[in-house]
Amino acid sequence: TVLLIQVVVLNVAINSNNNALITLLVANNFTELKSHVFKKFEEGSLLQVVCADIVERFQLVIFLTLVTVQNISKDGYNLNKAWIQDWGNMVFIVWCTEHLVDWIKHAFVTKFNKIDPEVYDRYRSVIWEHFCDAWKLRQPHRVAKHVGFVSLPISC
């Protein structure tokens, strides 16, 4: 239900005439930044943060897609240039803010914990290896378990 509430809040924020709710979503990203920046991280625990960011971005793509489809169907598939431009701007703001905050967060974490940025290449290799192993064994749930993804039935 928490994920469904996030979709509803994102929908309301993007569709509101004033930018108060979109500002709230952006501010929420900066509280995430604040909660991670000054903590002590080891290389192993940083992998968990990377996996959480992967899941968060995947969920954001799904949420933005759901909200977009809902709004297109609500408007009767009458898409004009102004609507597409306004919608694109809001989605762009949400998406870019998420990327910017994650980039700043990882920059501070690696700097203050003296972690070599090359560690992200190793993380990519580890995650890719898990993906390939799961693909060969036809067990996609192994990747989801590794990154901490909680599947959400779209039919709710």
Side-chain angles (χ1 to χ4, degrees), residues 19-36:
N19 290 330
L21 286 174
I22 202 78
T23 305
L24 179 69
L25 288 175
V26 170
N28 187 31
N29 279 334
F30 283 102
T31 57
E32 175 190 352
L33 177 68
K34 183 180 145 189
S35 69
H36 282 87

Side-chain angles (χ1 to χ4, degrees), residues 92-112:
F92 182 76
I93 288 169
V94 170
W95 184 253
C96 286
T97 302
E98 178 66 34
H99 278 272
L100 178 67
V101 167
D102 285 347
W103 184 78
I104 292 170
K105 175 177 66 176
H106 286 280
F108 273 97
V109 166
T110 54
K111 179 180 168 122
F112 290 129

Side-chain angles (χ1 to χ4, degrees), residues 35-37 39-43 45-46 49 109 113 115:
S35 69
H36 282 87
V37 166
K39 285 187 178 177
K40 178 77 176 151
F41 283 99
E42 300 295 327
E43 286 187 15
S45 59
L46 186 58
V49 175
V109 166
N113 292 294
I115 297 174

Side-chain angles (χ1 to χ4, degrees), residues 16 37 39 59 86 90 108 116 118 121 129 137 142 145-146 150:
S16 65
V37 166
K39 285 187 178 177
Q59 287 175 342
D86 289 342
M90 288 298 182
F108 273 97
D116 186 22
E118 299 293 322
D121 289 332
E129 182 180 318
L137 298 173
R142 293 181 71 193
K145 183 179 178 183
H146 177 76
V150 178

Side-chain angles (χ1 to χ4, degrees), residues 120-132:
Y120 292 104
D121 289 332
R122 284 181 284 181
Y123 293 161
R124 185 180 58 233
S125 298
V126 167
I127 293 171
W128 181 248
E129 182 180 318
H130 280 276
F131 176 78
C132 289

Side-chain angles (χ1 to χ4, degrees), residues 55 58-59 143-152:
V55 170
F58 179 76
Q59 287 175 342
V143 176
K145 183 179 178 183
H146 177 76
V147 297
F149 178 71
V150 178
S151 58
L152 171 71

